[in-house]
Amino acid sequence: AIKPLRLFASGDSLGVVFVKPIKVREEQRSMPSSAWLMPSDKAWGPDEILVMQPERNYTVNDYKQFFQDINYMDGWYMRQDTVNLIRDLTPPGIKVHCLHGINVKTPGVLMYDKSSWFDSQPKIIPDNGDGTVNVRSLRACLNWQKQQKQPIYHKEFPGVDHMTLLKDAGVIQYLKQVLVGS
């Protein structure tokens, strides 16, 4: 997802209006899971821009430079520690139900426009996804369809965002059907 790049660069209020993103940046930077969730070169091409700022642009191949430029090399080390945890996304060899939201504005590119870019909030060029995770990552489970004999069931829930997926009526109904057949 693109969102962790914003957490590292300038913080993110995560929709809480009275929280200043820059005030929570230090705490957000401390979580290795944010480094782990950054866009993978398995889903993003080497020339796709993720972050733009006045001096340069960053792609999946520029993470070390990104962390140098925001003066937070611990982020680079966290990325190195976590990048290979599920890099290969090995098929599990069991039936899988892959459920996710779609058609929710999701950060696609972060555009910073001033010299102290990482202390300001970016303009966001939207992408498709669930509001947090980009659609290309949400659909990664489909890669398993030709890699294992067990079925991969895939269902998208339009307009359902990342945070409300587990309480969405359509998702609950789907899970009921799968679990109890009703």
Side-chain angles (χ1 to χ4, degrees), residues 38-171:
M38 290 167 50
S40 166
D41 61 357
K42 295 265 188 171
W44 274 263
D47 297 325
E48 287 185 85
I49 296 170
L50 307 173
V51 179
M52 302 170 75
Q53 57 105 329
E55 303 296 320
R56 66 171 294 139
N57 298 326
Y58 304 90
T59 70
V60 292
N61 291 328
D62 300 313
Y63 287 148
K64 187 172 186 177
Q65 186 66 52
F66 171 79
F67 285 113
Q68 286 174 339
D69 290 351
I70 65 170
N71 197 28
Y72 189 68
M73 287 308 291
D74 283 349
W76 170 248
Y77 302 128
M78 284 190 282
R79 178 67 180 169
Q80 294 305 108
D81 287 345
T82 60
V83 69
N84 291 318
L85 290 176
I86 62 165
R87 181 168 174 70
D88 293 331
L89 284 178
T90 306
I94 60 171
K95 176 173 43 174
V96 173
H97 292 266
C98 182
L99 313 176
H100 61 83
I102 193 152
N103 299 336
V104 178
K105 275 187 185 179
T106 303
V109 176
L110 306 177
M111 288 180 53
Y112 292 89
D113 64 0
K114 61 185 202 178
S115 61
S116 60
W117 65 275
F118 55 87
D119 287 332
S120 64
Q121 287 299 299
K123 176 182 176 193
I124 296 175
I125 299 173
D127 190 15
N128 193 357
D130 70 359
T132 298
V133 180
N134 304 77
V135 70
R136 62 179 89 193
S137 293
L138 294 168
R139 291 178 176 161
C141 61
L142 295 174
N143 295 332
W144 293 336
Q145 287 179 325
K146 294 181 180 172
Q147 297 176 12
Q148 70 174 37
K149 59 184 173 200
Q150 298 84 358
I152 304 294
Y153 300 99
H154 177 248
K155 180 134 175 84
E156 298 177 335
F157 293 86
V160 176
D161 74 40
H162 189 80
M163 299 303 288
T164 59
L165 183 74
L166 291 179
K167 60 183 178 183
D168 179 76
V171 173

Side-chain angles (χ1 to χ4, degrees), residues 7 21-31 72:
L7 298 177
I22 199 76
K23 297 289 187 187
V24 293
R25 178 175 67 181
E26 185 177 347
E27 178 267 333
Q28 291 173 332
R29 283 180 167 184
S30 72
M31 296 180 277
Y72 189 68

